[in-house]
Amino acid sequence: MKTKILVTGSLGQIGSELVPTLRESYGADQVVASDIRMMSREQLLRSDGPFDFLDCTNQRQIQDVVQRHEIKTIYHLVALLSAVGESKPQVAWDVNLGSLYRVLEVARVNGCGIFVPSSIGAFGPSTPRDHTPQDTIQRPTTMYGVTKVAGELLSDYYCHRFGVDIRGVRYPGIISYGAPPGGGTTDYAVEIFYEAIRHQQYTCFLKPNTRLDMMYMPDAVKAAIGVMEAAPERLVHRNSFNVTGMNFTPTELAAEITKHIPAFKIDYRVDPVRQAIADSWPMSLDDSAARQEWEWNPRYDLAAMVRDMLENVEKKLAVEEVNNDAY
Ligand SMILES: NC(=O)c1ccc[n+]([C@@H]2O[C@H](COP(=O)([O-])OP(=O)(O)OC[C@H]3O[C@@H](n4cnc5c(N)ncnc54)[C@H](O)[C@@H]3O)[C@@H](O)[C@H]2O)c1
């Protein structure tokens, strides 16, 4: 991969874990983190490389950062996620597509490669829901999904028309214990761990049998870097590869947690907006194209993910408690 690297939206759920991994591989000073938010005191203390304030709906600002740091690769992570997007569809359009268009333009002018993540949200109710193929019907019914399909098409256009090296994956729901999730339909699969440890009880906003694809964060980071480092001559699809790590229902996730916390109980208060979004998404993705074209291979299944999440959320909550006591 060409360095130097810019990560946009780097303080979000994925960026806050992708940046340290990229810095380990390529060197801290080679990776410029950026976001429209400023870093918290805690993030500042942990950060070991450059950070720029950057609003990706402002093309002049992107151009300035890319030129000043001589950026050659951009991981563009800026987006409003599915549930937030449904509450503010006009803003979701402006942020998701407005930022992508401007980043693509700057990449075209400056010869940068780009990673652009799409989502299972790019599919809709008319998509086959089981083993959803790589190339299939994409008629999403959410603004988030509309921006993701349009983003996939725009990325293809810039790749074919201008030769910009754009690559990407369609992420399922991402589970992690670092930065909190940014308002997606699969956030329950993160919240449940905090509530299981704190209160041995969780009220889920999706129905018990809602099956969705998911992935643990180390695999999400591995997928982003894996597709960017893939040999270009082997890539048939380039953009929007289906990738997945596991799929489960809230009932199955709760049962796995109960193996570690026997007192844990789950109940349900369904949020109709997020349930409708979940019902329009695939239950399992066929990720064979990614496996064939760049050896995609996830490490974590449900049991391994639950074990690791419980261990790390417990440590995180213990540290927070000590810090709270200190004030
Ligand atoms: N997290 C998931 O479960 C998931 C699943 C599928 C796809 N994705 C995709 O992965 C990407 C990253 O997702 P995430 O979960 O890290 O999102 P997130 O919401 O946690 O983070 C997004 C970041 O973008 C920043 N941002 C918002 N508007 C901005 C702007 N105008 N300029 C600069 N920064 C801005 C936010 O401050 C935030 O830090 C997105 O494209 C998302 O659609 C995520």
Side-chain angles (χ1 to χ4, degrees):
M1 188 177 0
K2 295 190 271 186
T3 54
K4 258 169 129 175
I5 298 168
L6 170 66
V7 181
T8 70
S10 73
L11 298 182
Q13 189 190 6
I14 297 177
S16 58
E17 311 226 11
L18 177 65
V19 167
T21 309
L22 287 171
R23 284 183 173 158
E24 245 173 62
S25 301
Y26 301 104
D29 58 338
Q30 294 298 300
V31 181
V32 180
S34 71
D35 205 286
I36 199 169
R37 290 184 280 156
M38 294 309 286
M39 278 196 277
S40 65
R41 188 172 153 273
E42 195 194 314
Q43 285 165 330
L44 259 174
L45 287 174
R46 267 190 282 120
S47 168
D48 61 349
F51 178 87
D52 270 35
F53 170 86
L54 175 57
D55 175 359
C56 284
T57 60
N58 183 323
Q59 195 165 322
R60 196 186 43 75
Q61 276 184 28
I62 308 167
Q63 174 66 24
D64 173 57
V65 170
V66 164
Q67 271 190 337
R68 191 155 34 84
H69 293 283
E70 299 179 347
I71 297 295
K72 284 293 157 212
T73 300
I74 304 172
Y75 284 78
H76 179 55
L77 303 182
V78 170
L80 258 58
L81 303 193
S82 55
V84 179
E86 270 329 89
S87 66
K88 306 177 202 167
Q90 297 82 356
V91 185
W93 175 269
D94 278 347
V95 171
N96 294 10
L97 278 173
S99 72
L100 177 61
Y101 169 70
R102 289 177 178 91
V103 168
L104 288 173
E105 266 301 288
V106 171
R108 178 183 70 79
V109 170
N110 294 276
C112 303
I114 320 186
F115 172 76
V116 180
S118 187
S119 159
I120 50 169
F123 298 115
S126 50
T127 304
R129 293 191 71 205
D130 224 2
H131 294 292
T132 303
Q134 174 66 39
D135 303 304
T136 185
I137 301 163
Q138 292 184 262
R139 307 287 295 175
T141 46
T142 61
M143 178 52 92
Y144 179 66
V146 169
T147 65
K148 287 298 176 189
V149 177
E152 289 185 9
L153 293 174
L154 193 60
S155 299
D156 282 348
Y157 180 81
Y158 268 71
C159 187
H160 296 135
R161 175 79 168 76
F162 301 120
V164 182
D165 185 5
I166 307 167
R167 306 182 187 189
V169 296
R170 292 186 186 122
Y171 280 128
I174 308 290
I175 300 164
S176 69
Y177 56 85
T185 302
T186 52
D187 290 7
Y188 91 85
V190 175
E191 293 168 6
I192 193 170
F193 289 96
Y194 289 83
E195 295 307 303
I197 291 169
R198 283 189 186 119
H199 308 298
Q200 293 81 55
Q201 199 279 333
Y202 177 65
T203 302
C204 184
F205 58 75
L206 293 183
K207 288 182 191 166
N209 58 351
T210 310
R211 181 171 301 283
L212 287 170
D213 264 304
M214 301 275 180
M215 183 180 284
Y216 196 33
M217 183 60 87
D219 282 329
V221 168
K222 182 178 161 188
I225 297 175
V227 74
M228 290 303 279
E229 288 185 340
E233 62 279 5
R234 285 192 55 201
L235 296 183
V236 180
H237 288 89
R238 296 192 88 92
N239 284 314
S240 330
F241 282 97
N242 284 0
V243 287
T244 184
M246 63 194 88
N247 66 74
F248 53 74
T249 65
T251 309
E252 289 166 358
L253 177 56
E256 194 60 38
I257 292 174
T258 309
K259 290 182 188 166
H260 302 265
I261 306 176
F264 176 64
K265 295 270 177 290
I266 186 165
D267 63 8
Y268 298 88
R269 194 179 318 121
V270 173
D271 168 9
V273 174
R274 285 182 284 191
Q275 186 65 49
I277 296 175
D279 288 342
S280 75
W281 284 357
M283 295 190 291
S284 67
L285 293 180
D286 172 359
D287 61 0
S288 50
R291 288 174 185 268
Q292 277 156 22
E293 292 176 39
W294 48 279
E295 271 92 42
W296 161 243
N297 187 20
R299 272 179 50 216
Y300 286 86
D301 61 9
L302 174 61
M305 177 276 288
V306 166
R307 212 178 311 117
D308 204 65
M309 273 297 281
L310 285 172
E311 196 180 308
N312 283 290
V313 172
E314 205 153 46
K315 275 189 210 151
K316 186 177 168 183
L317 292 177
V319 170
E320 277 176 19
E321 210 169 297
V322 170
N323 288 344
N324 286 343
D325 285 350
Y327 281 109

